[in-house]
Amino acid sequence: MTLADQPTPAPAPAQPVKRGRRADAERNRAAIMEAAGAVFAEHGAAVDVREIARRSGVGMGTLYRHFPTKDDLLLTVLEQQFGSWLTDAHQQATATEDPWQALTGFFEQMLTTQARNRAVVESYTTRGGPTPSCAQRCYTFIDELRTRCMNAGLLRPDVTTDDLVLLSGSLSQAVLTTGDSHPGQWRRLLRISLDGLSSRNTEPLPEPAAPTDTPRND
């Protein structure tokens, strides 16, 4: 048999098919993320994932191929949303020359965002953020704001970063519990809290209680 008589090799699969499949997968993932963001914001973490699949226009099998569990989807969405918000808040605070306005603007922006997103506020009140890394980023940012106000003599001198973090968590809880019955009630609580943080108040704060030992079951 000559070379001319040998069968022609079958052509390799066309690459555009693979690229098309990847593009479809990316579109499906983006649709799931967008729908999940809206559904979690409206209903919180307890929502049925079938509602997310319905709104995204994909089947349950496609959803689970991208996110094997609801927790995987929830954390991915919350990390993205929380990270985007925190980046915006940091940029806004950096651009604000007045330290007190930067601090109060942070609280205002945080609570306004949470009032529109039930899942974010749930994660913030329980863990300080969707993940430990998000919580640490937020803690570091709050510490920067506290230091700026302290250096400018605007914050009462015995306020700690932990105080501000706990305050943000309690205000977030107020957003969560009053959102349906008294929307916007948190604004009054925020104003009361900020007045209490001002350096105009010179009466010392109570010392924090010492941690209690957990009883042992011997």
Side-chain angles (χ1 to χ4, degrees), residues 4 17 19 93 121 133:
V17 174
R19 287 197 295 270
V121 72
S133 62

Side-chain angles (χ1 to χ4, degrees), residues 31-155:
I32 293 168
M33 290 281 290
E34 182 178 359
V39 173
F40 285 136
E42 294 171 19
H43 304 290
V47 70
D48 194 320
V49 293
R50 287 176 293 188
E51 175 62 14
I52 297 173
R54 184 188 69 80
R55 289 206 199 181
S56 62
V58 305
M60 291 296 294
T62 299
L63 188 149
Y64 282 126
R65 277 196 296 275
H66 288 279
F67 302 99
T69 69
K70 184 170 76 170
D71 283 346
D72 292 330
L73 176 56
L74 176 64
L75 287 178
T76 301
V77 169
L78 288 183
E79 274 195 290
Q80 182 186 73
Q81 293 178 334
F82 194 87
S84 177
W85 160 73
L86 198 57
T87 297
D88 290 344
H90 195 279
Q91 291 174 347
Q92 181 173 319
T94 301
T96 303
E97 293 184 6
D98 184 275
W100 186 256
Q101 288 184 4
L103 177 66
T104 59
F106 160 75
F107 275 102
E108 180 79 22
Q109 184 178 1
M110 177 190 74
L111 297 172
T112 299
T113 299
Q114 293 180 353
R116 299 192 297 260
N117 195 317
R118 188 175 184 88
V120 166
V121 72
E122 286 173 353
S123 74
Y124 194 85
T125 56
T126 56
R127 300 187 298 274
T131 64
S133 62
C134 288
Q136 183 58 51
R137 282 185 62 197
C138 194
Y139 186 97
T140 301
F141 179 34
I142 292 175
D143 185 60
E144 292 175 5
L145 295 172
R146 183 196 67 83
T147 300
R148 286 181 62 187
C149 286
M150 197 70 73
N151 291 340
L154 301 172
L155 193 68

